[in-house]
């Protein structure tokens, strides 16, 4: 009940939009990193097979590969949720005159490039 006497802070939409853009950028990088990791681990397993490495070592590397495979859908799901939130924030700020146009353009670019 202590908040009752305090005036509510106005929402800083520039900051809110910038934070959401940063979240989306980070998650895009994360998805990309996991996809690269999968390719790297697939190549590593294949090389181990080609070099007739120990079966135990190959199985362990395959387990690492499976973990990499499992991370991609989770990262993509979190990215989709972040993009939905970004779209929501972008919709909220459309009629606010003092919003930084550069941040809006960046947000729209992220949405357009990931929805394709």
């Amino acid at each position: 009940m202590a908040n009752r006497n305090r005036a509510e802070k106005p929402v800083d939409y520039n900051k809110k939009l910038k934070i959401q853009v940063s979240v989306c950028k980070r998650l895009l990088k994360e998805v990309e990193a996991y996809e690269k990791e999968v390719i790297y681990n697939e190549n590593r397993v294949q090389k181990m097979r080609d070099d007739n490495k120990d079966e135990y070592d190959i199985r362990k590397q395959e387990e690492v590969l499976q973990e990499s495979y499992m991370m991609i859908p989770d990262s993509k799901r979190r990215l989709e949720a972040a993009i939905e939130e970004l779209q929501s924030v972008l919709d909220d700020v459309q009629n606010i005159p003092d919003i930084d146009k550069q941040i809006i353009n960046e947000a729209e670019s992220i949405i357009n490039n990931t929805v394709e």
Side-chain angles (χ1 to χ4, degrees), residues 16-69:
K16 188 174 182 179
L17 188 58
K18 190 179 277 189
I19 289 170
Q20 200 57 39
V21 164
S22 296
V23 168
C24 289
K25 283 181 175 180
R26 179 181 49 80
L27 289 170
L28 281 166
K29 287 180 185 177
E30 184 177 299
V31 168
E32 184 179 313
Y34 281 125
E35 288 172 343
K36 285 180 181 179
E37 184 177 313
V38 163
I39 292 169
Y40 172 79
N41 286 327
E42 286 173 338
N43 292 335
R44 190 166 182 193
V45 167
Q46 188 58 49
K47 183 170 177 11
M48 290 174 80
R49 286 188 181 127
D50 294 345
D51 294 344
N52 293 320
K53 296 287 183 180
D54 184 56
E55 264 316 299
Y56 176 80
D57 292 336
I58 293 173
R59 273 194 310 251
K60 284 297 172 186
Q61 189 59 44
E62 286 174 336
E63 288 175 16
V64 170
L65 178 59
Q66 289 304 316
E67 289 176 18
S68 297
Y69 280 136

Side-chain angles (χ1 to χ4, degrees), residues 24 28 79 83 86 107-116:
C24 289
L28 281 166
L79 175 59
I83 290 189
L86 178 60
E108 289 172 343
S109 175
I110 289 172
I111 291 169
N112 293 335
N113 291 331
T114 54
V115 173
E116 291 175 351

